Structures are given as structure tokens and as C-alpha cells.
Amino acid sequence: MVTDEQLVEASLQGSAAAFNEIVERYQERLLRFLLTRSASRADAEDAIQDTFISAYRYLYSFNPRWRFSTWLYRIALRNVASQPWRYSQDAEIEPTDPEDPLQICLVASDHENVWLTAKRLLSDDAYSAMWLRYVEDMSVREVARALNKSVSWAKVTLLRGRRRLKLELADSTTAAARSESYG
Amino acid sequence: MDDFEKRLKRDAEGINTDISPQLTSRIEASLLAAERIEPLRQNRSETSNLWWASSLTGLAAAAAVIALLNWNRPEPEAVLPEQTAFQVVPDAQEYLQQIQGRLPLRAETAVFKDGLEDELTRLQADFEKARESVNRDIEFTF
């Protein structure tokens, strides 16, 4: 299988098909991430379009020392951060908002989607760090790089986020079991 | 990977992300219109050529300045023989000969004059007494 870095090299040498392959590989993953960070699906689609355009234009500045996905997510995070509708870090996010794209896109399940809980409990950066670490399988260093933070910040944030989510899930599980026993 | 991490991954996959054909065509169209920005790079050989060129230019300029300064420099005066420090100070005997007759040496004579004059006066008085004594003796003898 051709690696991302080989596709980048081919694209730099003028292959349009190589960059199309990159788009194919990442558009779903990126959109899934951006849907959890955007106010609407349209905004998430705008953000993904801007991300691919920026990646194409500045492909020469990609440093092969890092994984291509780290660089691409970094661009995506910048695009999200520059959008005017962006939630404030301190603002309370209302996950039950019917306009929330994450709420709309969730597949029906017997339990609450953990990312919906994460969106409610964690800050934007902590949420992104958790996503990049556990969904995109990035290392702690890559998470720090993508978010433009220090490695120690990433370690602490991941630890706290994980602990908080686990506690919340444990509480909700206990509450569900209790309501079942009463019912 | 523990259960918690599995659940994070599974729930992420539970987010529906159907890519619409409109989005795909939008991305393709915007990529076709986008122009790639190439960084201003200089390859190594160009850089080394520039380095050599600038070094040679600098050396040539320095040589030209040195030549110009030497060309405009005034003719040097006749070179005096080298004199060591002890030759600069004249020899003591020569110095005394040079200053002889030019410097009044009066201090020493002034110091000893009074004592000698007193002694001379006393000797003259003694001599006068002796002469009168001799004259008196001669008168009495003849």
C-alpha cells in the first residue's frame, strides 16, 4: 500500500491523482472529526474544503519528520479555530441542541455516544486531544504537535479527560442500572 | 487497548459521515482552481556559488583599497640611524666639556671666603707684632 508520504511526494511532482487519493483517504475521517467541532454540517463541510485547499497549496511546507495526518489535522484545527461561530472555550455547550451536527449524525444506539458526553464535559482542546489520541491513534507527541501544545500539556489533558469521561460513564451506568431495578 | 478505548473508537465510527457528491465535486473544483505555493528555496550548489562569488568580490575590494592607500601615501623622510636609549643620553665627560665656560660656578667660592680672610687677618696681625718686636730688639742692640 502506498503511504501518505509517498502520495505527497508524487503530488509534489505534479500528480493530481496522488492528491485525489489523499482526499479519498481522509475526507471521511476529517469530516467525522469536524462534525464534532462545528456548529452545523455546512460549516463542517466548509472547513473540510478549506483544509484540503490549504494542504494542497502549502504541500511544500509539509515536514516528513511528522506523519501526514498530524499535519492535516493541524490545518483542520486552525480552520475550525478561525471560524466565527466557534464555541468559546468557557462556554457551556448544549449537546441536546437539535442543530448540533454531532447529535444529528449519531447512529441510533442503546447508550449515549461517548463523544457527545465528551463534548459536554471537556474543553475544545481536550476533546480534540482525546479524539486524535484514541480515534486517530496518534502518539502523545503527535497530539501535542497537531494542537500546537507541549507534550506535557497533552499528557496531562489526556489523563484528565480520560478520567473524567470514565467517571461520567460509570455514574451513568450506575444510574441506568438503578432506574431499571426500580422499574 | 482496554474497553474504554474500544468504546471511544466504536462510538466515533457511529458518527454518520456520508460524503455527498456535492461535497466531493466542491472539493475537486476548488483544488483545480487552487495554485500551489512554492517556497523560495535555493539549492545547495547555487548557495555555494554565491558564497564563492561574494568571497572573491570581498577579497578583490580589500586588495584594491590596500593598493590605493599605498599609492597615495607620501614619500617617507630620510631614515635616521637608529639610536639606542643610552646613546640618546650624552656621555658625562662630553657633557661637561660642552657646558664648560657657560655655567657660572660661584657657589663654592662664596662658602669658604670668610674663614680664610679671618685667618689671613690674624696671620698679618701676628706678623706685624713679630716685626715690631724685631725692630725694638735691633734698636736696643745698635
Side-chain angles (χ1 to χ4, degrees):
Chain A
M1 185 184 173
V2 183
T3 63
D4 291 344
E5 287 70 26
Q6 286 171 326
L7 287 174
V8 168
E9 193 59 40
S11 177
L12 285 173
Q13 287 169 3
S15 168
F19 199 83
N20 283 338
E21 174 68 22
I22 289 173
V23 173
E24 282 286 320
R25 279 186 188 184
Y26 280 97
Q27 61 183 0
E28 272 194 30
R29 288 162 64 181
L30 264 181
L31 184 62
R32 189 174 286 135
F33 172 66
L34 292 170
L35 279 171
T36 65
R37 293 289 307 271
S38 303
S40 68
R41 188 177 176 99
D43 287 333
E45 290 185 353
D46 285 346
I48 196 173
Q49 185 182 354
D50 291 344
T51 301
F52 282 125
I53 292 170
S54 299
Y56 180 80
R57 293 184 73 194
Y58 297 100
L59 202 58
Y60 277 108
S61 66
F62 165 63
N63 184 354
R65 184 180 156 216
W66 300 93
R67 273 167 56 180
F68 180 74
S69 59
T70 309
W71 185 67
L72 197 63
Y73 272 90
R74 190 169 172 156
I75 295 172
L77 281 163
R78 277 189 194 165
N79 282 331
V80 167
S82 65
Q83 285 183 331
W85 46 260
R86 185 173 172 264
Y87 294 119
S88 163
Q89 287 276 343
D90 302 324
E92 193 67 32
I93 298 167
E94 186 53 63
T96 53
D97 182 358
E99 292 297 316
D100 183 0
L102 180 57
Q103 187 78 27
I104 294 166
C105 295
L106 286 177
V107 176
S109 172
D110 55 345
H111 65 269
E112 187 188 48
N113 190 299
V114 71
W115 291 105
L116 204 60
T117 314
K119 195 170 180 178
R120 178 162 45 86
L121 290 178
L122 306 178
S123 68
D124 285 354
D125 282 343
Y127 180 93
S128 299
M130 292 288 288
W131 183 282
L132 297 177
R133 179 78 183 96
Y134 296 111
V135 180
E136 289 297 326
D137 295 325
M138 287 187 187
S139 68
V140 176
R141 275 187 75 221
E142 286 168 335
V143 169
R145 173 81 178 172
L147 290 166
N148 202 22
K149 304 277 187 184
S150 68
V151 174
S152 31
W153 177 91
K155 278 181 187 170
V156 171
T157 304
L158 286 169
L159 191 70
R160 285 181 183 164
R162 189 187 161 103
R163 190 182 296 162
R164 197 164 179 195
L165 269 181
K166 267 189 165 181
L167 272 175
E168 182 69 18
L169 292 176
D171 286 350
S172 61
T173 309
T174 311
R178 199 174 294 155
S179 67
E180 270 182 22
S181 65
Y182 286 133
Chain B
M1 187 185 286
D2 60 17
D3 288 342
F4 177 70
E5 291 175 13
K6 281 179 187 166
R7 183 172 173 188
L8 287 172
K9 221 176 220 332
R10 194 175 58 240
D11 282 7
E13 287 165 2
I15 300 170
N16 184 20
T17 52
D18 289 334
I19 305 289
S20 62
Q22 289 83 3
L23 177 60
T24 307
S25 54
R26 263 176 64 189
I27 293 171
E28 283 176 3
S30 55
L31 288 176
L32 281 174
E35 286 182 14
R36 192 162 276 162
I37 296 172
E38 295 189 24
L40 293 172
R41 284 182 184 170
Q42 288 179 332
N43 64 38
R44 194 176 291 271
S45 61
E46 280 177 357
T47 311
S48 61
N49 285 343
L50 283 176
W51 186 85
W52 277 108
S54 61
S55 300
L56 287 173
T57 308
L59 283 173
V65 168
I66 291 168
L68 194 67
L69 288 174
N70 284 326
W71 186 267
N72 291 335
R73 196 168 64 177
E75 284 294 318
E77 294 178 3
V79 179
L80 296 171
E82 288 187 7
Q83 291 184 338
T84 51
F86 66 87
Q87 285 174 327
V88 173
V89 178
D91 185 65
Q93 293 298 328
E94 287 178 17
Y95 179 70
L96 286 174
Q97 286 174 3
Q98 285 174 5
I99 65 170
Q100 194 174 20
R102 283 190 286 171
L103 290 176
L105 300 174
R106 290 176 299 191
E108 287 76 10
T109 53
V111 170
F112 297 109
K113 183 179 165 183
D114 290 345
L116 289 172
E117 283 182 348
D118 289 344
E119 187 67 20
L120 181 61
T121 306
R122 281 195 290 273
L123 285 171
Q124 285 175 342
D126 290 344
F127 179 72
E128 191 62 29
K129 285 177 185 173
R131 191 177 63 85
E132 286 175 358
S133 172
V134 170
N135 284 338
R136 207 180 305 118
D137 290 339
I138 292 172
E139 283 176 1
F140 283 114
T141 309
F142 298 101

